[in-house]
Amino acid sequence: MLSCAASEVRKLAGDCEHKDEQANEEEQSKLMCGIVGYIGAKPVLDVVVNGLRKLEYRGYDSAGIAILEDQRVKVLKSVGRLSNLEDKLASNTLNGHLAIGHTRWATHGKPSDENSHPHQDCSGRFAIVHNGIVENYLPLREELLAAGHQFSSETDTEVVAHLIEEMYNGDLLKTMVAVGQRIRGAYSLVVICKDHPDEFIAMRKSSPLIVGLGDGENFVASDIPAVLEYTRDIYVLDDGEMAMIRRDGVECFTLDGDPVEKEVYKVTWDAVSAERGGYDHFMMKEIHEQPKAIRDTLTGRLDETAGQVKLPELKLSTQEINEIDRIHIVACGTSWHAGLVGKSMLEKMTRIPVEVDIASEYRYRDVLHTSNTLVIVISQSGETADTLAALRDCKKKGLRVLAITNVVGSSVAREADDVLITWAGPEIAVASTKAYTTQLIALCLLSIYFAQVKGLMSSDDAHDWVTQLANLPQLAEQVLDTAPQLEKFAADWVHAEDTFFIGRGLDFSVALEGSLKLKEISYIHAEAYAAGELKHGTLALITDGVPVIAIATQPHLYEKTLSNIKEVKARGAFVLGITWVGNQDLAHSVDEVIYLPQQCAELSPVLTVIPLQLLAYYAAVARGNDVDKPRNLAKSVTVE
Ligand code: G6P
């Protein structure tokens, strides 16, 4: 869990985001991207690129900079990782004392050079970088098109650049106050203008923004790590504030232009810790981000009053949904494990037979399909070679493909017929955590949606599902409180060589994911077994002290699982049980129990996986492993 210093880091580094969650949940949901700005005597591009590197955790599908040179605004941008931009910069000799930069996590418009920030107006007088969503960009775009503006990207951000051009009256501060009154949504914006070479403006509504205070130089950024190399004196802009930043000083205002006095915050913690939000590793940060990631994936897709799931992004018509007679789920690794849970949800709710395949197997298997087979590919990155190849094979065969992915504009998202985005935000740790839980949410939403369209779900049942889903983030939050118990358990059994995960039904699917997590980061050999299958061979491996993680959450299988637990206990296993509050009797059959808040059987994997992630994490830490970058593995496997 967080240390004191770490929670202080999180408080400040994430302060803005936490406050905004309540205020503006929907807008906040899809906000990542990183912003940096600098004015001063240091090599400006080095400062901005260094800052962007610290913010890549906020998004990394494109990057760009704008620099004020010889009273002209020059922009360089590039799709892909920051290194692509650095390559471009290396062959340019740009000089100046004022620059801004951006690293993007695509929301409006695919990742491309054109859609990368900074964006400019028609005259090239302004350049802006933006983190957030301008909700009313469509009417504004219409208005600006009618006024003769020409757009070169699909983004909501470019609208703001043209709006600034339209409203500019020579006074940058007053112009930005007026522009702020025209745009709705969540944003942090940084603007430079060639007529104002000695100042620039940063504004914050909902999305986080800090100002770094230097001596004869000043900085702005989405998060503190971007400036820590240069200064430890910070203004944390509050929601609804803006700053006029000059070399020799920073003035702060409300978005109405009224002056605001800010207190300087002195940062005492180190940059590495800050980048990870105060956690020691990205994996732990991402485990803790799950309640928010689940909420974000649900946002805009649940109608709690009507008791309905809405998936307006799907192009599948009612007739096409009714005609689906088979579903094939295809994925790799953790995404494949999500698919196993998805099969159960889809079959139960839609009564359509579902097969789940590992992509590298599916591609080379003589798959039987009908013309009405729907293929669902699941991929966090949207770039996994085998999954992408399977998608392409299916498309060639004329099959309809729906993708569940976390990355807007990824190859899988671009090439599938329908796309459901999981809004987990960038996942940095190789071991997937929040991507998995949000994939489960997406699969559940899809199952309910299909069942509703097919007329297979009563209104009461639909209401019930919607309520259960809406409550999940809060329950996931509670499950995170089991961390100390798991840390202790991991410490006790850190020298184990083999571990077994057992469960029945959906608990078995989660057991597979739990054993993968443990293997990939702790390097402890782990196997998952359907609890009823143990006696057909594996029971021979259970001897004194062998750790067994037994998951028992499925009500109709509880008694049966209990019998299997007794079988391993009788052979000397050391058993950690995971079950619901209420199944207190499990304590008599195991050595330790983790109790989770009650949840319906189908959604239980969303909660049961969290202690398994924590267990793997603590075991890896106790063994001194590189948790975020386990040996031999990669986050995105783009080779066969
Ligand atoms: C790699 C990662 C896994 C991931 C798998 C599939 O092996 O290390 O964590 O589950 O790829 O990735 P995808 O991006 O397609 O979900």
Side-chain angles (χ1 to χ4, degrees):
M1 295 296 283
L2 287 174
S3 65
C4 267
S7 58
E8 189 196 359
V9 174
R10 248 169 84 76
K11 186 179 170 320
L12 272 142
D15 188 30
C16 322
E17 292 190 45
H18 292 158
K19 277 188 211 159
D20 301 335
E21 261 175 30
Q22 292 143 19
N24 212 343
E25 208 166 84
E26 179 153 357
E27 291 82 349
Q28 184 64 15
S29 66
K30 285 139 200 160
L31 309 183
M32 284 307 279
C33 301
I35 287 176
V36 180
Y38 174 70
I39 187 163
K42 290 195 171 75
V44 278
L45 293 181
D46 289 353
V47 175
V48 170
V49 170
N50 283 346
L52 290 180
R53 195 169 297 117
K54 298 287 188 308
L55 297 180
E56 264 194 303
Y57 77 89
R58 303 182 65 82
Y60 41 75
D61 52 40
S62 60
I65 57 101
I67 182 168
L68 228 146
E69 188 187 54
D70 301 333
Q71 298 219 310
R72 286 179 57 203
V73 175
K74 296 199 176 151
V75 172
L76 263 188
K77 42 198 193 177
S78 181
V79 70
R81 295 293 175 114
L82 187 57
S83 52
N84 294 0
L85 175 68
E86 287 179 281
D87 290 345
K88 274 196 183 171
L89 288 172
S91 52
N92 274 277
T93 47
L94 294 170
N95 254 316
H97 63 269
L98 169 56
I100 56 176
H102 188 269
T103 177
R104 181 167 185 247
W105 176 254
T107 58
H108 289 61
K110 62 182 182 297
S112 66
D113 284 354
E114 301 73 45
N115 289 337
S116 309
H117 300 216
H119 288 286
Q120 290 200 269
D121 60 311
C122 303
S123 68
R125 175 181 267 135
F126 304 94
I128 68 168
V129 288
H130 168 220
N131 167 204
I133 293 175
V134 176
E135 273 180 18
N136 57 335
Y137 83 103
L138 281 175
L140 286 174
R141 192 177 162 111
E142 290 302 311
E143 180 187 319
L144 290 159
L145 279 169
H149 290 262
Q150 288 183 348
F151 285 80
S152 49
S153 79
E154 305 156 278
T155 63
D156 51 337
T157 308
E158 193 188 347
V159 166
V160 183
H162 293 279
L163 191 62
I164 298 171
E165 178 181 29
E166 189 68 21
M167 302 181 81
Y168 183 57
N169 60 9
D171 181 324
L172 196 53
L173 183 70
K174 285 196 177 135
T175 302
M176 291 314 295
V177 168
V179 166
Q181 283 161 2
R182 295 282 333 266
I183 52 181
R184 278 204 321 271
Y187 54 82
S188 53
L189 276 175
V190 179
V191 186
I192 62 172
C193 172
K194 77 176 177 64
D195 304 343
H196 298 262
D198 298 318
E199 59 190 25
F200 68 109
I201 290 206
M203 331 176 42
R204 173 179 184 221
K205 188 164 166 237
S206 294
S207 306
L209 209 55
I210 59 102
V211 176
L213 306 166
D215 186 8
E217 59 180 2
N218 287 300
F219 310 77
V220 70
S222 302
D223 201 354
I224 294 171
V227 303
L228 266 192
E229 197 177 326
Y230 310 104
T231 180
R232 292 181 164 265
D233 292 343
I234 303 289
Y235 286 157
V236 178
L237 287 188
D238 279 320
D239 196 12
E241 288 182 350
M242 61 199 291
M244 169 66 88
I245 300 158
R246 302 190 179 93
R247 276 175 81 142
D248 54 0
V250 176
E251 287 176 276
C252 295
F253 306 89
T254 65
L255 290 182
D256 293 329
D258 298 327
V260 177
E261 283 297 316
K262 298 293 294 178
E263 259 179 52
V264 177
Y265 172 74
K266 280 212 172 294
V267 181
T268 51
W269 26 267
D270 68 279
V272 173
S273 151
E275 197 177 336
R276 296 179 189 131
Y279 294 99
D280 292 339
H281 302 94
F282 279 110
M283 182 181 176
M284 195 53 147
K285 175 171 181 269
E286 288 159 9
I287 289 173
H288 280 79
E289 280 172 349
Q290 287 179 111
K292 178 177 183 321
I294 294 169
R295 194 178 293 120
D296 289 349
T297 302
L298 291 171
T299 296
R301 289 166 168 168
L302 293 184
D303 182 337
E304 289 189 62
T305 319
Q308 271 181 359
V309 165
K310 303 176 294 180
L311 296 176
E313 58 268 65
L314 294 191
K315 289 181 249 155
L316 279 162
S317 67
T318 301
Q319 188 187 338
E320 285 165 334
I321 293 171
N322 275 310
E323 282 171 359
I324 297 169
D325 56 8
R326 283 182 197 198
I327 295 176
H328 292 173
I329 299 181
V330 185
C332 300
T334 290
S335 299
W336 173 62
H337 291 157
L340 297 174
V341 178
K343 169 186 166 76
S344 173
M345 291 172 175
L346 281 159
E347 284 187 338
K348 178 172 172 139
M349 292 191 238
T350 69
R351 312 311 296 163
I352 302 170
V354 181
E355 283 182 44
V356 190
D357 258 283
I358 293 169
S360 56
E361 292 293 312
Y362 187 80
R363 300 175 59 179
Y364 299 111
R365 175 163 95 69
D366 185 10
V367 181
L368 295 180
H369 56 78
T370 63
S371 55
N372 290 320
T373 298
L374 173 71
V375 179
I376 301 178
V377 294
I378 309 177
S379 174
Q380 186 284 127
S381 61
E383 301 295 346
T384 300
D386 283 314
T387 308
L388 189 56
L391 178 157
R392 287 176 178 157
D393 287 351
C394 292
K395 294 275 299 172
K396 260 193 224 141
K397 289 178 187 157
L399 298 176
R400 183 151 191 145
V401 180
L402 182 153
I404 296 179
T405 181
N406 193 34
V407 181
V408 175
S410 59
S411 303
V412 159
R414 286 200 311 273
E415 295 185 33
D417 301 296
D418 290 274
V419 183
L420 269 187
I421 297 290
T422 52
W423 294 105
E427 196 179 60
I428 311 290
V430 166
S432 184
T433 53
K434 60 179 181 169
Y436 172 79
T437 37
T438 54
Q439 285 164 351
L440 299 187
I441 299 299
L443 285 159
C444 186
L445 288 168
L446 189 68
S447 307
I448 300 170
Y449 179 71
F450 279 2
Q452 285 179 333
V453 171
K454 287 165 73 72
L456 292 176
M457 187 169 280
S458 72
S459 160
D460 282 355
D461 284 352
H463 264 101
D464 197 36
W465 274 109
V466 168
T467 309
Q468 304 243 33
L469 282 167
N471 288 338
L472 261 182
Q474 192 200 334
L475 298 182
E477 200 82 62
Q478 288 174 33
V479 176
L480 290 170
D481 293 339
T482 59
Q485 223 184 324
L486 290 150
E487 185 173 16
K488 188 180 163 303
F489 185 81
D492 289 347
W493 120 134
V494 65
H495 299 299
E497 286 181 3
D498 301 292
T499 299
F500 296 88
F501 289 74
I502 61 170
R504 286 171 174 255
L506 284 176
D507 289 337
F508 171 49
S509 305
V510 184
L512 285 164
E513 175 58 8
S515 84
L516 175 64
K517 283 294 87 89
L518 190 69
K519 276 182 276 210
E520 65 184 332
I521 59 169
S522 78
Y523 316 146
I524 296 173
H525 170 241
E527 294 206 37
Y529 268 89
E533 181 66 8
L534 272 182
K535 55 186 171 294
H536 299 295
T538 313
L539 204 53
L541 296 175
I542 306 292
T543 54
D544 260 1
V546 169
V548 173
I549 306 356
I551 311 167
T553 69
Q554 302 294 301
H556 63 300
L557 298 167
Y558 182 71
E559 297 295 332
K560 303 263 175 225
T561 310
L562 213 55
S563 305
N564 302 133
I565 291 172
K566 289 194 166 125
E567 285 161 17
V568 293
K569 249 337 271 169
R571 270 89 187 165
F574 185 84
V575 182
L576 171 70
I578 298 180
T579 192
W580 303 134
V581 168
N583 288 340
Q584 252 47 32
D585 57 328
L586 187 66
H588 305 304
S589 310
V590 301
D591 297 280
E592 290 205 31
V593 194
I594 303 281
Y595 291 109
L596 305 179
Q598 190 87 38
Q599 179 52 265
C600 71
E602 289 75 16
L603 286 174
S604 71
V606 179
L607 301 185
T608 38
V609 77
I610 295 174
L612 304 183
Q613 297 165 343
L614 289 164
L615 182 67
Y617 172 82
Y618 286 121
V621 171
R623 289 167 72 106
N625 296 349
D626 185 345
V627 174
D628 287 334
K629 293 197 185 85
R631 70 184 179 208
N632 307 339
L633 300 179
K635 182 75 190 153
S636 183
V637 182
T638 52
V639 290
E640 204 183 319

